[in-house]
Amino acid sequence: MALRVGIDLVSITSVQESLRLHATRYLQRVFTEAEVRDCQTDNGIDPERLATRFAAKEATLKVLRPSKDDAVPWNTIEVRRDPAGWVRLHLSGSAAALADSTGITELAVSLTREKDFASAVVIAECPIEIDATSR
Amino acid sequence: MTDEIRKIIEAHARLSVDVGTLSENDDLYQAGMTSHASVNVMLALEDHFDVEFPDSMLRRSVFESIAAIASALGELHPEPSA
């Protein structure tokens, strides 16, 4: 098996701008309902939590390696929070199909944030013969 | 249309270069547009042109250049025939 890793860094300010400018449309297009619920606080939607989740989606895409003509909506990659505090990924639709086509069955994710930035790293195993091809 | 697209890119793409220096086929990601910035560009394009990019168009290639964006908008908002 080969290992794939993806990492992404997101500006929390950029997420705040998206919320300010596009609010509900931004949330609906990028996040699942469950993700939005996980990001709710007593003070409203937490842009830091959204930013970590966006970073996780992008890091996942780097692992899945879609071609530039593959359509993978952001909400087909979902970050799910375990009651114990850690997170895991759930793929659906085109993201799941892409994972299937590359033989990826398990992904692991970790999130972090500090000041204006949020980051995520995702790793997965992939069959060597698939990793060696164009994807 | 491309002037309007340039204005939206200037406002939302967070490029590391002046959008006026880019040709219509220059790669916006290479010019500094991050993935999250592309979300803001997409939503701003939808607001301005009153369209919605379907899931099938949420591809990197659709937003990779001014020309690509114009082409996609043309598919969503075809000019009425004479």
Side-chain angles (χ1 to χ4, degrees), chain B residues 9-22 26-34 37 41:
Chain B
I9 290 168
E10 184 177 30
H12 297 287
R14 294 181 148 213
L15 300 183
S16 54
V17 299
D18 180 348
V19 69
T21 65
L22 297 176
D26 279 337
D27 190 313
L28 296 174
Y29 296 102
Q30 296 279 347
M33 184 172 72
T34 65
V41 167

Side-chain angles (χ1 to χ4, degrees), chain A residues 100-122:
Chain A
D100 283 346
S101 73
T102 53
I104 290 173
T105 56
E106 287 287 333
L107 299 108
V109 62
S110 186
L111 312 177
T112 191
R113 61 191 188 208
E114 183 169 341
K115 292 186 180 176
D116 189 47
F117 291 98
S119 183
V121 65
V122 172

